[in-house]
Amino acid sequence: MYKLLFKSFFRTKIFVVSLLLLIIVGVISILIGKQFLIKQEKNVIAAQEFQKLSLEKNIEHHPNDLGLLLYYQRFTLIKQQPNISAISIGQSDVNPLLQTVTIRALEGQKYDNDFENPSLLMSGNLDLGFVIIYLFPLVLIALIFNLYSEEKEIGTWKLLASQTAKKTNFLLKKLIVRLALVFTVLLLLLFLASALLDIPMSSPFWAIVLQSIIYLTFWSAISLWVVSFQKSSSFNALTLISAWVLLTILIPAMVNNYVIHKYQVPEALHTIVEQRDGYHEKWDMEKHVTMDGFLKEYPQFSNYNVPEDEFSWIWYYGMQHMGDINARETSIEMKEKLILRDKVSKNIALFIPTMYTQLSFNKIASTDMVSHLHFLDKLSEYHSNLRLGFYSKIFDKNSAETVNWKNYNSKFTKMSSKINWRTLFIPTLIFIILLTVISYFNLKKL
């Protein structure tokens, strides 16, 4: 029976063409992911070379004034993104892979990102995650929507029904043949991605594989559920396409719109303005106003003299840091709101398998918002260590040759996410079980 069903499937050219197109688009998405990794690697190399060359030039121009040298010198923190991020690029196209910062106020530098083409950002990335979430369901719908109605409409169902008492089993075998081919394409693309993108077959990769299988099983269950109502092919196709539009486009857009308006986040620009205002206004104030706030945070520098009638680096960098302090409350508020947005989105996504799968992919690949916020925390820590490491040398008026610059190469911070296997699959599995049980009992009535 299975052999006959496979032969019947391959005689239908449109089915074969749809699978071939899926493979072609899947391979293209993997190559796009490869380009994404290559671009990241080039950016990292360029940033490291830039830091090295700029340091040499700054030492050459300002050998005796460390404060002035460090005013210009930029240091780089690089997010060590796993290669699996090429499968689900997520928000990596808008959130920076690396940040270069001076030891001046940080808040004005946090959001200093590269410009991206707005049209490309609007259309998104054709990564493998996109192909799995958006295109694979369409192929499944095309293969399953007429599972029963085709036999009925061409007049072969009565003949089949007269020859077997297990009509439901025949449909299920027909379904298994079609699903086997789609899932074979899925696994082929995932293992090809592992090979071409140099993704180790560790827990994140297997989490992506299992999540993909469960996601496509969900769409198979929806398709079977619609088929089980025993309606016409046109009804099934229209219903399933409507479900696809609803679950992949409309509901996620509505949820995103709700979250954005419910939890409004202060703009990064507002934080930058607060930081700059906090710094610039100190030029017109008595110096003790700046130093009182600065020394309250760093009492270890209270032994340094701050002359009122001339410029001093301790006063200048104190002003810079006070700008960050002025913007601290807004910065914390923005971070809390972003975390709350992410949390609310994930809670809602528990009931929307398409959203849940997308968010899961991004989390596994460390390309979600939480991963970016974690990187910004690392950046704040890195910036703080830089400042505190240089302050004493600057305030003591040391020269550039007193610093071991080999200790100040570009730094890497590793990004990884902890996988909770239980919560990763259960929400979607519940929908699959419910839809499959209902479909089975409906088909038993044939």
Side-chain angles (χ1 to χ4, degrees):
M1 177 62 73
Y2 283 112
K3 188 176 180 181
L4 289 171
L5 289 172
F6 270 107
K7 285 184 178 181
S8 175
F9 177 87
F10 283 107
R11 286 195 198 102
T12 311
K13 291 183 180 180
I14 189 64
F15 291 163
V16 176
V17 170
S18 65
L19 291 180
L20 287 174
L21 285 174
L22 198 57
I23 292 172
I24 292 169
V25 175
V27 171
I28 290 172
S29 71
I30 294 171
L31 295 176
I32 289 173
K34 185 72 173 177
Q35 290 178 342
F36 170 73
L37 294 179
I38 291 171
K39 180 184 176 182
Q40 285 189 325
E41 187 177 353
K42 286 181 178 178
N43 288 342
V44 169
I45 294 171
Q48 290 175 311
E49 290 178 351
F50 172 79
Q51 180 171 322
K52 183 180 177 181
L53 290 173
S54 64
L55 181 58
E56 290 174 357
K57 289 183 178 179
N58 283 324
I59 292 173
E60 181 184 349
H61 287 94
H62 313 290
N64 299 317
D65 193 339
L66 196 57
L68 188 59
L69 187 157
L70 292 168
Y71 174 91
Y72 295 107
Q73 182 57 40
R74 304 184 75 85
F75 301 89
T76 307
L77 181 67
I78 302 166
K79 180 163 57 173
Q80 204 168 4
Q81 196 88 334
N83 281 7
I84 201 169
S85 62
I87 288 180
S88 184
I89 294 173
Q91 300 186 29
S92 295
D93 52 355
V94 291
N95 294 326
L97 165 71
L98 53 84
Q99 289 272 169
T100 59
V101 293
T102 66
I103 65 169
R104 287 176 277 143
L106 177 63
E107 292 301 329
Q109 304 178 73
K110 269 186 181 180
Y111 313 102
D112 186 15
N113 302 337
D114 291 336
F115 289 107
E116 297 286 347
N117 189 327
S119 299
L120 294 177
L121 293 178
M122 184 172 63
S123 60
N125 294 290
L126 183 63
D127 53 23
L128 188 55
F130 177 91
V131 174
I132 292 169
I133 290 171
Y134 291 92
L135 303 186
F136 265 89
L138 289 174
V139 173
L140 279 172
I141 289 171
L143 297 182
I144 299 174
F145 82 98
N146 61 351
L147 191 72
Y148 164 72
S149 57
E150 179 187 35
E151 303 287 351
K152 189 176 179 181
E153 288 165 1
I154 64 176
T156 57
W157 180 251
K158 290 183 178 179
L159 179 62
L160 288 168
S162 65
Q163 292 179 349
T164 178
K166 297 180 179 179
K167 300 182 288 292
T168 303
N169 288 352
F170 170 78
L171 290 179
L172 293 178
K173 288 176 181 177
K174 191 176 176 182
L175 175 67
I176 289 170
V177 167
R178 300 184 180 196
L179 293 184
L181 293 165
V182 175
F183 280 85
T184 298
V185 171
L186 171 68
L187 294 175
L188 174 67
L189 291 174
L190 286 170
F191 285 106
L192 184 62
S194 176
L196 293 180
L197 303 176
D198 196 23
I199 299 172
M201 292 190 184
S202 54
S203 55
F205 174 74
W206 291 113
I208 290 279
V209 171
L210 292 174
Q211 185 69 281
S212 301
I213 291 172
I214 289 173
Y215 176 71
L216 295 193
T217 304
F218 164 74
W219 276 104
S220 304
I222 286 185
S223 300
L224 185 61
W225 175 63
V226 172
V227 167
S228 72
F229 290 114
Q230 303 166 39
K231 302 292 184 179
S232 65
S233 296
S234 58
F235 174 86
N236 293 347
L238 183 60
T239 303
L240 288 169
I241 291 298
S242 299
W244 180 85
V245 171
L246 193 67
L247 291 174
T248 60
I249 300 174
L250 290 182
I251 293 181
M254 290 168 62
V255 171
N256 182 60
N257 188 63
Y258 164 75
V259 170
I260 288 174
H261 285 85
K262 179 71 174 178
Y263 307 100
Q264 294 188 15
V265 175
E267 291 184 6
L269 177 62
H270 183 50
T271 307
I272 294 171
V273 169
E274 283 195 343
Q275 175 262 306
R276 290 183 178 176
D277 285 346
Y279 155 66
H280 286 294
E281 68 183 7
K282 299 297 188 297
W283 287 96
D284 301 319
M285 297 180 179
E286 297 290 334
K287 290 187 177 180
H288 71 83
V289 176
T290 296
M291 297 314 302
D292 287 347
F294 179 71
L295 295 177
K296 185 178 179 181
E297 289 247 330
Y298 302 115
Q300 65 266 36
F301 301 121
S302 57
N303 60 316
Y304 288 96
N305 181 42
V306 183
E308 285 288 338
D309 57 346
E310 63 181 54
F311 177 87
S312 61
W313 283 118
I314 186 171
W315 170 65
Y316 177 79
Y317 284 110
M319 284 196 299
Q320 288 284 343
H321 185 62
M322 290 307 294
D324 274 347
I325 291 175
N326 276 34
R328 183 178 291 170
E329 187 176 337
T330 303
S331 181
I332 292 172
E333 180 188 356
M334 185 165 74
K335 179 184 175 183
E336 289 175 347
K337 287 287 183 68
L338 288 172
I339 291 173
L340 187 58
R341 276 186 181 183
D342 185 77
K343 184 178 179 181
V344 171
S345 297
K346 287 178 178 176
N347 288 338
I348 296 174
L350 291 172
F351 304 96
I352 309 167
T354 48
M355 272 189 66
Y356 187 78
T357 302
Q358 179 69 77
L359 293 175
S360 297
F361 279 1
N362 291 346
K363 184 177 186 300
I364 294 167
S366 298
T367 56
D368 58 340
M369 177 54 71
V370 172
S371 175
H372 177 62
L373 292 176
H374 179 62
F375 174 64
L376 290 182
D377 288 340
K378 291 288 185 181
L379 181 67
S380 297
E381 182 182 335
Y382 174 66
H383 184 263
S384 177
N385 291 336
L386 281 175
R387 288 188 298 106
L388 295 177
F390 281 120
Y391 275 169
S392 294
K393 295 180 176 65
I394 295 171
F395 304 158
D396 287 334
K397 300 181 180 179
N398 290 346
S399 63
E401 64 181 13
T402 62
V403 179
N404 185 1
W405 295 106
K406 292 181 180 179
N407 295 330
Y408 295 97
N409 294 322
S410 301
K411 300 295 183 183
F412 288 83
T413 180
K414 192 172 183 180
M415 294 288 107
S416 60
S417 59
K418 196 172 183 180
I419 299 171
N420 188 328
W421 294 93
R422 185 179 299 175
T423 59
L424 191 62
F425 307 125
I426 287 178
T428 309
L429 279 174
I430 291 172
F431 284 104
I432 292 171
I433 293 169
L434 287 174
L435 289 168
T436 303
V437 169
I438 295 171
S439 302
Y440 181 76
F441 282 107
N442 285 345
L443 291 173
K444 290 290 284 184
K445 299 174 186 177
L446 288 172

